[in-house]
């Protein structure tokens, strides 16, 4: 088939595999921990599910094809994938990481890897000069989240890759927010792309999973060694569920992204909202750069109210979103990063990362955008009334 097919067609092509023996249109769930071998000298492709399983392999092959990499890997969680990636480093090595990195990644860097002699420096990866100044002779990896969580800061993937190559570093990119539908970092030169597949790729708040895709076979071999050695692989049933979620990813995330654009534009018109963080907005500082490396602003945005009290009032009066950790589901999910995704950071660290006490993150689901906007407008009315009460009490 021609390579010029659209991504939505490629997604279905890579996730639907007709079984040659039965004609089944879905990949079977191979619920087997072990596999029979013919004899002493002739071992089959599979021997033990930790090392490889046909169901998990179908998922891994699909994500590799969609990201444009040499080989994909499915892990028990997004953090399992990220932790395994950092374990490609050795004692004495150094990594450069965004200062507003996801709280789980912050935790593994600050509380675990340091004990094994793997050092790190937090920088603003949107500032290339700052990135370059942080590079040391022992720097092995520049890690990127773009757009970042939760302030949606945009990092220039091509520029970071160029800088990394000049200093013989690898570039790792967390692509959770964009997914391969909207952004493919390996095509921009990155070496390893990572996903919390719990989010958009699963899409239904029912699977915990992580994915990684290596650009080259050489790096893939190293990742596979660690995946097999550490054993944090994705279970067979979850692999099947994730493969099913992947089939509808394109239509789900495009619908959510269209709604997110409308919701973000609505928030910019509201006086109670101090800031809106969404790369699809023309006034976002990284909007032009984002448009060069991604096909959409995505389905996640953040907005900042006056303070924690205002955020509490808003959350207490919305009706449609689930108030919870995580994102990327069919239902809209509203989160409070200071106490959820970035609770691992202390107040000073959160302030440096731009995470104020009134910041809320919204993952837009598949509800109608007009219904969401109406719900948010009603909640803001309560915020507005609360502010009036506060002003009167001060007077």
């Amino acid at each position: 088939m021609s390579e010029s097919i659209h991504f939505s067609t490629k997604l279905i092509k890579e996730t639907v595999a007709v079984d040659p023996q039965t004609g089944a249109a879905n990949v079977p769930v191979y619920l087997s921990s072990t596999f029979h071998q013919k004899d002493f000298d002739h071992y089959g492709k599979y021997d033990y599910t930790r090392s490889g399983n046909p169901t998990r392999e179908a998922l891994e092959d699909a994500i590799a094809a969609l990201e444009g990499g040499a080989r994909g890997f499915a892990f028990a969680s997004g953090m399992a994938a990220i932790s395994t990636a950092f374990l490609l480093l050795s004692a004495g090595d150094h990594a450069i990481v965004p200062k507003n990195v996801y709280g789980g990644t912050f935790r593994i860097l600050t509380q675990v890897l340091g004990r094994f002699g793997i050092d790190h420096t937090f920088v603003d990866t949107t500032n290339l000069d700052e990135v370059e100044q942080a590079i040391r002779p022992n720097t092995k990896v520049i890690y990127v989240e773009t757009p970042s969580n939760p302030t949606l800061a945009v990092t220039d993937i091509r520029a970071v890759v160029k800088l990394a190559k000049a200093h013989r570093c690898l570039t790792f990119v967390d692509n959770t927010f964009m997914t391969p539908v909207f952004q493919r970092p390996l095509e921009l030169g990155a070496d390893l792309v990572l996903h919390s597949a719990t989010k958009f790729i699963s899409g239904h708040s029912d699977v915990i999973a992580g994915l990684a895709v290596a650009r080259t076979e050489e790096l893939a071999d190293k990742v596979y060694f660690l995946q097999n050695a550490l054993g944090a692989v994705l279970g067979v049933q979850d692999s099947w569920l994730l493969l099913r979620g992947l089939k509808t990813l394109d239509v789900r995330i495009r619908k959510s992204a269209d709604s997110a654009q409308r919701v973000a534009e609505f928030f910019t018109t509201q006086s109670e909202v101090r800031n809106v963080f969404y790369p699809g907005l023309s006034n976002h500082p990284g909007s032009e750069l984002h448009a060069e490396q991604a096909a959409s602003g995505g389905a996640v945005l953040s907005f900042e109210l006056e303070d924690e009290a205002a955020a509490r009032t808003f959350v207490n009066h919305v009706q449609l979103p689930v108030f919870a950790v995580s994102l990327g589901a069919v239902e809209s999910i509203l989160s409070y990063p200071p106490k959820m995704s970035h609770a691992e950071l202390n107040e000073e660290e959160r302030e440096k990362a731009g995470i104020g006490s009134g910041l809320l993150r919204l993952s837009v689901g598949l509800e109608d955008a007009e219904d969401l906007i109406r719900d948010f407008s009603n909640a803001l009315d309560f915020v507005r009334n609360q502010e009036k009460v506060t002003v009167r009490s001060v007077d």
Side-chain angles (χ1 to χ4, degrees), residues 45-307:
K45 184 177 183 180
Y46 309 102
D47 59 1
Y48 190 57
T49 279
R50 171 168 51 78
S51 303
N53 178 282
T55 308
R56 190 175 81 236
E57 184 179 65
L59 169 65
E60 293 174 331
D61 288 347
I63 193 61
L66 296 174
E67 285 284 9
R71 188 170 178 183
F73 305 90
F75 292 88
S77 69
M79 280 313 306
I82 291 169
S83 300
T84 300
F86 276 113
L87 288 175
L88 289 164
L89 303 182
S90 302
D93 287 346
H94 172 255
I96 295 173
V97 184
K99 64 181 181 181
N100 54 355
V101 73
Y102 168 62
T105 308
F106 179 88
R107 180 170 51 233
I108 195 73
L109 286 163
T110 59
Q111 299 183 39
V112 179
L113 295 180
R115 294 192 282 111
F116 299 98
I118 298 173
D119 198 8
H120 63 273
T121 299
F122 292 118
V123 303
D124 177 3
T125 55
T126 68
N127 185 330
L128 292 175
D129 289 336
E130 191 172 331
V131 175
E132 186 167 23
Q133 289 172 12
I135 296 175
R136 306 175 185 173
N138 61 334
T139 301
K140 302 299 182 183
V141 166
I142 302 177
Y143 185 90
V144 172
E145 279 184 7
T146 185
S148 67
N149 180 15
T151 56
L152 287 299
V154 177
T155 296
D156 189 332
I157 298 174
R158 291 185 182 90
V160 169
V161 166
K162 183 177 180 180
L163 194 59
K165 290 185 182 303
H167 292 84
R168 298 182 180 179
C169 302
L170 296 174
T171 304
F172 296 172
V173 179
D174 184 331
N175 199 32
T176 298
F177 275 25
M178 287 291 101
T179 81
V181 174
F182 290 148
Q183 181 172 268
R184 291 182 283 281
L186 299 183
E187 295 179 0
L188 303 177
D191 298 289
L192 190 72
V193 64
L194 297 154
H195 293 274
S196 173
T198 307
K199 313 303 193 293
F200 289 106
I201 291 177
S202 166
H204 294 79
S205 297
D206 56 6
V207 174
I208 299 292
L211 295 171
V213 182
R215 185 169 58 87
T216 66
E217 289 289 354
E218 180 183 5
L219 184 59
D221 287 344
K222 294 177 181 178
V223 175
Y224 175 72
F225 173 82
L226 287 173
Q227 183 194 42
N228 188 40
L230 297 171
V233 296
L234 189 62
V236 176
Q237 288 182 317
D238 284 346
S239 294
W240 189 90
L241 281 171
L242 201 60
L243 195 60
R244 183 176 68 172
L246 192 56
K247 293 177 182 179
T248 60
L249 171 63
D250 188 88
V251 291
R252 285 189 289 102
I253 197 169
R254 289 186 188 278
K255 159 72 173 176
S256 291
D258 286 346
S259 295
Q261 180 73 38
R262 294 179 61 185
V263 170
E265 290 171 355
F266 160 76
F267 278 132
T268 63
T269 67
Q270 304 302 299
S271 60
E272 293 75 29
V273 179
R274 298 173 61 183
N275 291 297
V276 181
F277 304 95
Y278 182 68
L281 295 174
S282 59
N283 64 350
H284 185 286
S287 62
E288 291 186 9
L289 171 60
H290 184 73
E292 293 176 2
Q293 62 189 25
S296 166
V300 180
L301 61 104
S302 292
F303 57 99
E304 189 175 19
L305 301 178
E306 181 68 26
D307 50 25

Side-chain angles (χ1 to χ4, degrees), residues 341-375:
S341 61
H342 290 71
E344 290 296 324
L345 282 66
N346 60 39
E347 185 175 357
E348 181 182 355
E349 290 164 338
R350 287 196 299 271
E351 288 179 358
K352 287 181 179 178
I355 303 172
S357 62
L359 187 72
L360 290 167
R361 187 189 70 197
L362 175 67
S363 171
V364 179
L366 300 183
E367 303 92 347
D368 189 277
E370 290 185 8
D371 293 331
L372 288 170
I373 290 171
R374 186 182 305 112
D375 188 29

